Amino acid sequence: MTFLPVPGRASGDLLTETMWDRYLRDNMNKGVMRPIADSLLGSSAASVTFSSIPTDFEALVLTGVARSDVVGVNQSMYLRFNDDSAANYDRCSFDGVVSGHNGAEATAQLQLVLWEMPGSTGPASAFTGGYLLVLGPNRAAHKVAYAQSTMRQANGSGGMSSTNRIHSWRSTAAITKMTLTPATAVNFVAGSRFTLYGLGGT
Amino acid sequence: MPFTTVPDKATGAVFTEANWDTDIAANLNTGLVVPTARVMASGLSQVDFSSIPGGYAAILLTGYARSTQAVTAAAMNMRLNGDTGATYDRCYMGADGSVEDNAEAFAITAGPFASVPGASSPADSYGGGWMLMPAYDQTDRHKSWTCMSYWKRTNVAAGQTCRFEAGFWRNLAAVTSVSPFIPAGTFAAESVFNLYVLTTV
């Protein structure tokens, strides 16, 4: 999680082990923003899991596009940290559609309600797109996760929505695992993709 | 501070000084999303990121924090270049519990960043937010930024606030320092702030 500024080198200088280990290996692996894992679904899947997440980043960033095969126009997407299925998730949100917007909250939930995504009767080829920024993923206090997404569940008026949701996870454990699932026992469709990044510090 | 595309090398090619200085050192130091400063803020009431270099596309500030003040929540505003004049504006939307909340303010003496839980909020509850400011070093325009913030006062209904906000600074100067602060108390033990610069090509 520590980025070390890289010094210049003179012509003829040797590339030492220290130069490699400290300035290249460590900076690349955990000093800058870099991808940790990527999951592009070649076929439908009931869940996507990122495990063994390194704990030495200052922030985690998840980006993704997704669609559910639920019979319906849309469905929520769930996220759990470290397999925690207890009532440890809080949420405050401000979501909008053309007809209005809605401020809401929920406390002591069993999972984080991350994004909304189109279902099987939504427009063909429409996927939700969103991101999640987790601050303090390795701090010994409750985590905070900032998320936004956009969805098109119909091609007419009222068919698009945006979600702006901020979450708290009541755990002092470092985040080492993230599991994404549709809200009911259905699947993410093929072509859904999630990428997890780590953001280093100095 | 652009990113320089790293060239291909042939088998047996010499690893030159320029390969190191341009392709590795310069790209790592100034060509990526680079963390420029990190502050563990325990015991502080203000964090100062100073000597911010110009030449990047944007700066990104993250704050994960809690206040020791005996309140459920405290505002955490920020000042740019130490400016305490009435030169800041703000506009936000969000939710306070399940109640929608939006407002604006003009000619205020600090810019918006976030708010944090206080010592009277649930144990281990942290808040704060992030701020993204493009064109922070341009000298022909006022500065603007967007930020998101969250804080929790209690673990029951009407205990949370989320805010999606825009801030403005009526000043043409390049931003060289950013200082988030809380009005009383200090930041709690796990509080940490990071400043990043985003490069261009």
Side-chain angles (χ1 to χ4, degrees):
Chain A
M1 64 183 177
T2 54
F3 178 82
L4 190 65
V6 183
R9 301 287 289 171
S11 179
D13 283 353
L14 293 176
L15 177 64
T16 65
E17 180 181 359
T18 299
M19 296 291 286
W20 180 270
D21 289 351
R22 191 63 193 90
Y23 297 120
L24 295 182
R25 184 196 63 187
D26 290 352
N27 276 343
M28 291 284 195
N29 286 344
K30 54 192 177 183
V32 297
M33 182 175 181
R34 64 101 166 164
I36 297 172
D38 178 66
S39 178
L40 170 60
L41 297 183
S43 59
S44 62
S47 65
V48 170
T49 298
F50 295 118
S51 55
S52 302
I53 298 171
T55 59
D56 44 13
F57 288 107
E58 291 294 305
L60 298 172
V61 178
L62 174 74
T63 64
V65 292
R67 179 184 174 100
S68 164
D69 65 6
V70 69
V71 179
V73 294
N74 66 64
Q75 185 174 49
S76 297
M77 184 192 308
Y78 287 169
L79 169 63
R80 282 182 175 144
F81 296 117
N82 296 6
D83 291 327
D84 182 6
S85 58
N88 287 326
Y89 301 86
D90 305 307
R91 177 177 77 253
C92 184
S93 61
F94 188 86
D95 297 346
V97 295
V98 67
S99 58
H101 36 78
N102 181 44
E105 69 169 351
T107 59
Q109 301 295 293
L110 304 180
Q111 63 278 314
L112 186 155
V113 184
L114 183 61
W115 305 327
E116 301 298 314
M117 55 185 171
S120 64
T121 60
S125 303
F127 284 65
T128 190
Y131 77 90
L132 171 77
L133 169 69
V134 184
L135 296 184
N138 58 3
R139 309 307 303 169
H142 296 177
K143 313 303 180 287
V144 186
Y146 305 80
Q148 292 184 301
S149 73
T150 180
M151 179 187 66
R152 180 165 52 98
Q153 65 183 30
N155 284 329
S157 180
M160 292 195 295
S161 63
S162 67
T163 66
N164 308 275
R165 298 172 179 172
I166 307 179
H167 311 262
S168 175
W169 180 41
R170 302 182 199 178
S171 174
T172 59
I175 294 173
T176 58
K177 186 176 184 180
M178 297 169 66
T179 305
L180 297 147
T181 59
T184 58
V186 293
N187 296 308
F188 294 119
V189 303
S192 298
R193 183 171 196 168
F194 302 93
T195 307
L196 181 65
Y197 300 86
L199 195 54
T202 186
Chain B
M1 304 294 178
F3 175 80
T4 301
T5 303
V6 179
D8 186 34
K9 297 287 281 184
T11 300
V14 174
F15 183 69
T16 66
E17 179 184 359
N19 288 142
W20 179 270
D21 289 348
T22 302
D23 303 324
I24 294 175
N27 273 341
L28 276 172
N29 289 337
T30 61
L32 303 169
V33 178
V34 180
T36 61
R38 173 177 183 259
V39 175
M40 296 299 298
S42 177
L44 302 175
S45 61
Q46 177 170 311
V47 172
D48 295 309
F49 292 105
S50 57
S51 302
I52 298 172
Y56 295 93
I59 54 175
L60 170 67
L61 173 67
T62 64
Y64 174 82
R66 175 184 172 95
S67 169
T68 61
Q69 186 184 7
V71 294
T72 54
M76 179 169 64
N77 292 316
M78 67 177 188
R79 291 198 170 98
L80 304 172
N81 294 6
D83 181 9
T84 58
T87 57
Y88 302 89
D89 310 306
R90 69 191 304 170
C91 178
Y92 69 82
M93 63 181 186
D96 189 4
S98 58
V99 178
E100 293 183 13
D101 181 26
N102 57 79
E104 64 179 0
F106 295 94
I108 50 181
T109 58
F113 175 39
S115 287
V116 294
S120 303
S121 71
D124 292 323
S125 174
Y126 276 63
W130 60 266
M131 179 279 290
L132 179 67
M133 182 188 299
Y136 67 100
D137 63 343
Q138 299 301 298
T139 57
D140 62 348
R141 69 200 69 179
H142 294 172
K143 309 303 177 292
S144 61
W145 62 96
T146 58
C147 44
M148 285 177 69
S149 179
Y150 169 87
W151 61 99
K152 184 163 67 172
R153 298 174 298 277
T154 71
N155 277 330
V156 297
Q160 304 174 84
T161 297
C162 57
R163 193 167 284 182
F164 311 90
E165 191 151 17
F168 302 90
W169 184 41
R170 305 181 196 179
N171 197 303
L172 299 180
V175 173
T176 57
S177 74
V178 178
S179 303
F181 66 96
I182 49 178
T186 59
F187 291 114
E190 296 291 331
S191 301
V192 60
F193 293 78
N194 280 279
L195 183 72
Y196 302 86
V197 290
L198 278 62
T199 189
T200 184
V201 292

